[in-house]
Amino acid sequence: MANITKKVSWSSRADESGATGERTPLLNGSEQTSHSRQPSEGGSVFQIGRLSTVDLEEEITSDEESLRGRPKEIPHTEKLLSLKYESLDYDNIENQLFLEEERRMSYMGFRCLEISRWVVCGLIGFLTGLIACFIDIAVEQLAGFKYQVVKTNIEKFTEVGGLSISLLLWAVLNSAIVMLGAIIVAFFEPIAAGSGIPQIKCYLNGIKIPRVVRLKTLVVKVCGVICSVVGGLAVGKEGPMIHSGAVVAAGVSQGRSTSLKRDFKIFEYFRRDTEKRDFVSAGAAAGVSAAFGAPVGGVLFSLEEGASFWNQMLTWRIFFASMISTFTLNFFLSIYHNKTGDLSSPGLINFGRFQSDSVAYNLYEIPLFIAMGAIGGLLGALFNILNYWLTIFRIRYVHRPCLQVMEAMLVAAVTAAVSFTMIYFSNDCQPLGPEHTEEYPLQLFCADGEYNSMATAFFNTPERSVRSLFHNQPGSYNPLTLSLFTLTYFFLACWTYGLAVSAGVFIPSLLIGAAWGRLFGILLASIPSNGSIWADPGKYALIGAAAQLGGIVRMTLSLTVIMVEATGNVTYGLPIMLVLMTAKIVGDYFVEGLYDIHIKLQSVPFLHWDAPATSHWLTAREVMSSPVTCLNRIEKVGTIVDTLSNTSTNHNGFPVVVQVSGTDEPAKLCGLILRSQLIVLLKHKVFVELARSRLTHRKLQLKDFRDAYPRFPPIQSIHVSQDERECMMDLTEFMNATPYTVPQETSLPRVFKLFRALGLRHLVVADDENRVVGLVTRKDLARYHLGKHGLEELQLAQT
Amino acid sequence: MANITKKVSWSSRADESGATGERTPLLNGSEQTSHSRQPSEGGSVFQIGRLSTVDLEEEITSDEESLRGRPKEIPHTEKLLSLKYESLDYDNIENQLFLEEERRMSYMGFRCLEISRWVVCGLIGFLTGLIACFIDIAVEQLAGFKYQVVKTNIEKFTEVGGLSISLLLWAVLNSAIVMLGAIIVAFFEPIAAGSGIPQIKCYLNGIKIPRVVRLKTLVVKVCGVICSVVGGLAVGKEGPMIHSGAVVAAGVSQGRSTSLKRDFKIFEYFRRDTEKRDFVSAGAAAGVSAAFGAPVGGVLFSLEEGASFWNQMLTWRIFFASMISTFTLNFFLSIYHNKTGDLSSPGLINFGRFQSDSVAYNLYEIPLFIAMGAIGGLLGALFNILNYWLTIFRIRYVHRPCLQVMEAMLVAAVTAAVSFTMIYFSNDCQPLGPEHTEEYPLQLFCADGEYNSMATAFFNTPERSVRSLFHNQPGSYNPLTLSLFTLTYFFLACWTYGLAVSAGVFIPSLLIGAAWGRLFGILLASIPSNGSIWADPGKYALIGAAAQLGGIVRMTLSLTVIMVEATGNVTYGLPIMLVLMTAKIVGDYFVEGLYDIHIKLQSVPFLHWDAPATSHWLTAREVMSSPVTCLNRIEKVGTIVDTLSNTSTNHNGFPVVVQVSGTDEPAKLCGLILRSQLIVLLKHKVFVELARSRLTHRKLQLKDFRDAYPRFPPIQSIHVSQDERECMMDLTEFMNATPYTVPQETSLPRVFKLFRALGLRHLVVADDENRVVGLVTRKDLARYHLGKHGLEELQLAQT
């Protein structure tokens, strides 16, 4: 089971590199046995689990027992918590070096820093907008070309017969394009698969997902998403924009590219997790903003997913990045469309303009909206459950890259085939008005001057289809077309999400919802009544789209604002809020949101907003990991190397203690030092003896730590001779001298609140003599979650 | 100087009641000397200041010295920090009682609590909406009546001459109405003066402003604001809505009214600062939402001002309250306007519908917008500086209620006189079209079928004037009219803000800005060019309004969203953001925002987002107050009574320590207990001896603390006999056993972050043996601020 999880993991490359690390010759002089992985690995995991096992209260234990006794139809990999993922460190490491630097800095220095933060945010917005623009134009050009070719072909064969050749052409074209997209994703950068939103959620939550913000990921993501959309899959190009924005932000803010081996020597101050997180938030917001033309929605998305502490200036900067991003996109698209200066397409998806008259709703429609919300919640839950099973299936059987590519091609071919069949058998012909909005109207078997209505939905990029459903004249679709379309597209979209291609689920959800929403509107209009208020099914299409999307992703405030901004009209605020609220309540009753399901299936130690409500009877004593490996303030190099090389205790932070000389008392806590810091110290050989002998020896500076950030070398690559092992290292200057501590009796919610609010990575548990008794990390807190049978504890696994 | 500050204080009533407390007969058996205020009071203040005085580094010291040496033209009361204000406690007091209750509660119990939170938020939204509706209708009816009377009078005298009688009528009517509003505010509830936004900012920041969320305040506020607006002052009714919403929230969420002496025995769980704060946030958001029809803006306002920790469900609830509020207002107004179900007036101020065609802006207009932002920043700074001087003047000379009422009447009369003069001498006549929007068109000396354009701006409620400036046809105003109007209204509004009447500054700011913005637009249009893009001055009026408001209040994201929602059109997002950004940057260069100025003049210990940038060289050791009064875990009642009665150390939290028996070592920290808790304990006589003697004695429960919340009796009202003074009290069950602590070396920014992020009230500073060495409270942190000459330290004052 553990093995299964590993294969689908977002960071399978990282595992390999880890393995490479183990194969490198051992240079650090320590004994061979201590750093190669031992079969006792599992044992150590159990040890951690055992030491912090909780005495469950009786009724809960029996509940859990009964749960365990029940046969499980699918492997519950979401009940595991991977030890593989590390935390990011959102708490400043306030060691002496840092404090000295801050104290040296003048007020003007801080002002300059603040200005450069604004510059970086502007750049992030600009570049994200450019990328969105590039994707949009590329998709439009390529898809236009494809549809033109297929359309010509269909028209050729409609009269002479032999439309199966057209079908073949369409299917092969789609498969080929999708294959390209799947190959680069599956073989070169698996982390670029999917929408990237779960990954960014995790990053902002404080989890280090390997390779998620690299340049290569960005390139693969952009090319991949173009291929998927052009390949006709039931996907959108909006979700990936959020990931792209985040990568841009992580790159720009660091002033260098490790992949390209270029260091511009700027923005060095920003080379730490705290600062980088803020920029990545801005990047994600800029991505949302470019995708939906929703700058406020972008800010709210970033905050909803990532913020642990709201800061006015930070939010304002994020908003700035968002605005610049949508503006850039808008501006360049206006040039592309030869309407320079007409800023009317602020996002990749544009819901079109809802005329204020037609969007007006009436009081008695509100129950209808709520009912639609409930339908959206139900359908969303169904979608998520199906996709969950599918994902489990994929984890088990479709984990090799070539299989993944083949599955993607299969889906592409099936999508084309199904679409073609639906169009072929549809007899919903509509007159082609003079001001028709269809880009590629297919006449097929319709009379001259008419077009096939089913083709409007299928033979089009999904964005255009959504817009048609919102705005086409009443009567453009007949109910049968819409029902068939909803049904097929629902299953196609569900099958597609999770493929090894870069693609988002926003647009397919909107499309499904818009289809059944419009159907709902048409059915309402057929009820004999005097009111002409039912006349416009486009309104119901919009509500349906919101309901379906809400039922699938379960976002709240940010989604409301995104929808409102995308419609460009605030009138709909209340109905959209009610619909999303209903969809969330109904959906949550059955299953979690799609992104949360995928996060859970990765066994990521994700921290939610609060500790589980019923966890007050747990205290830090039960939650913490112990015993903890502590280091002395002046420690032997050999001990440090051995500690770092010991894979059975793969902690990344070590409390530093000081022994009262001449006593047997346990040592007192005096600081906290990170694995990465120790590695830099070892690399630079900051040993007490060497410092004494070489008086002119350059003092280690913060810059050395920043240069190594974020890819610190593994301990195995550092050579430490036997002589050097006898040297001493003084950690005083480098450790964080004021780590946060809690007493052992602190309740779990209180520990959780401190940890989450400050974005900590390690929280030291101290007794009333200020001695270290344990260490609380993210995994210790993420382990407890509220299941259907009360508080449950996830198992830790070395996957 | 201290005396001066006292007189303007928001809580002058509280001072009086405090004085009353001192005059009550002493019942607690302690010595007379220890609880009456001593002349040494000032000394004790100095002691606190002295003990935590910082060794400033040399260059900064000299800067400060030179500053002190400089003569000051006005008394710098904003350099003081009042010791009078207490903190709210947003950190849960996790004592044994609390933990037991939480542990007893089932998962269903938590679900029910969550549902009742939603119900409360719905109620808050509903009631806030109703209040807004009441204010709107009352103002419209009364103002309509007043304008009708004056108009008839003017029309009567226009022909026969003797318009001075009309002027007199107008002035007397205004003064009389304003007098009524000023009397109830100045004599009955001074805290209801002004917009209430600074007070709510402070409350959400964690400062207890006495009487700010009481029922009486709400009643006075609502009546007061109706009087001020009807009385024709240059004020708006929007700001007070935010305060009203907050009062409603504080009332509803507690399930009782102390003023009405009714306890509905519901929502008892919410009777603590943490929960109440969340509801007050929702109430403030509902208020904004009702005022501007901006539910998202409301949420952002609450978050921008109050949130220290973003929580998805909380935000969603706040949004729900906002939505319900705007919906309620909309619904009832639609009934009032006989258009039931037409939900088109979501807020008190309605910017009217901007047609999408006329709002389109072009790229080359952006520099113009930025220039307007700069003008707004300059004018805003001027407004704030003038108002600052005026406030200082008022603090000095206009602090008696009858003087305040007279000033308000004077302003009302002058406003009427100035308006009349302007209208009288204006010769800007405009044709009265068939679809004119003016409610009370004044013909005066214009030809038949024309009306006086100046009267549209002056002879109208400010909301209508704003709307006219936004939407009237190009050419409705001539430039001279607008310049004169801007000039006079600017000074009138500046004079009005700070009067002892309930009134907001939003609408006057918008009006000033709209006037000069429209003027700007007209001037642009007069530049000969081929573009018809300049044609619509309404667009520039909107931008000017945003610039002026931004220049005065300096809000950021929330104001942008409020403006966008009030216009009902997202197209304007980017220009409004740019304008607000420019206005803030320009304005901040000169002076702070209006609300911040008033908060500073009250010497409130307001905590900003971050510690001052250059404060890394300060540590907890220098910042903290010490020595700290500690209590033993089992403490003599007499000691506790004496500690609480000792006014020279008016701390509200006491670290609880435990002595290792038989040693001389200083005691170890084991908890923290609040003054309010001790008072409840004393009141219920929870003494160890009594518990032993009466075995059936009811154990003290959390309910007893909740019943006493939030108005705990003063220590003087509790009778403790000499015998009882010898009893012992066991604090173990009641103290917070796991208070947050920091080591002495922690830097100020780190202390600040912990304190702010978790909403603490007391933070214990412990040494490495876990002994108490100091206590950091809000005042210790708020004392340091970044002035023009580096870090400055405010003085503490017993005002």
Side-chain angles (χ1 to χ4, degrees), chain B residues 707-725:
Chain B
D707 284 344
Y709 177 83
R711 303 191 202 165
F712 299 99
I715 179 68
Q716 289 81 4
S717 69
I718 290 168
H719 180 262
V720 178
S721 70
Q722 278 299 342
D723 280 357
E724 284 172 336
R725 284 179 64 84

Side-chain angles (χ1 to χ4, degrees), chain B residues 81-120:
Chain B
L81 207 58
S82 171
L83 285 173
K84 184 183 60 190
Y85 293 103
E86 287 178 31
S87 261
L88 294 167
D89 215 332
Y90 291 153
D91 183 38
N92 271 337
I93 304 154
E94 292 212 342
N95 56 19
Q96 284 185 21
L97 292 179
F98 176 79
L99 286 175
E100 273 163 24
E101 190 193 74
E102 294 281 312
R103 285 167 193 164
R104 262 200 312 275
M105 215 186 292
S106 66
Y107 179 59
M108 276 316 292
F110 284 107
R111 285 297 285 267
C112 289
L113 269 184
E114 187 65 19
I115 291 169
S116 44
R117 284 198 191 101
W118 281 92
V119 171
V120 171

Side-chain angles (χ1 to χ4, degrees), chain A residues 490-512:
Chain A
F490 183 88
F491 290 106
L492 281 177
C494 189
W495 191 10
T496 309
Y497 189 79
L499 284 182
V501 294
S502 300
V505 76
F506 265 73
I507 297 298
S509 311
L510 288 174
L511 191 48
I512 298 167

Side-chain angles (χ1 to χ4, degrees), chain A residues 308-326:
Chain A
S308 53
F309 182 61
W310 170 288
N311 180 309
Q312 191 186 29
M313 286 321 282
L314 170 63
T315 323
W316 195 217
R317 271 204 309 274
I318 294 180
F319 188 51
F320 179 68
S322 294
M323 270 292 178
I324 295 289
S325 155
T326 177

Side-chain angles (χ1 to χ4, degrees), chain B residues 1 4 72-79 388 392 395-396 601:
Chain B
M1 217 154 73
I4 288 167
K72 286 162 194 150
E73 55 296 334
I74 43 169
H76 276 244
T77 43
E78 80 276 16
K79 298 267 181 216
Y388 171 79
I392 294 283
I395 288 173
R396 280 202 187 155
L601 281 173

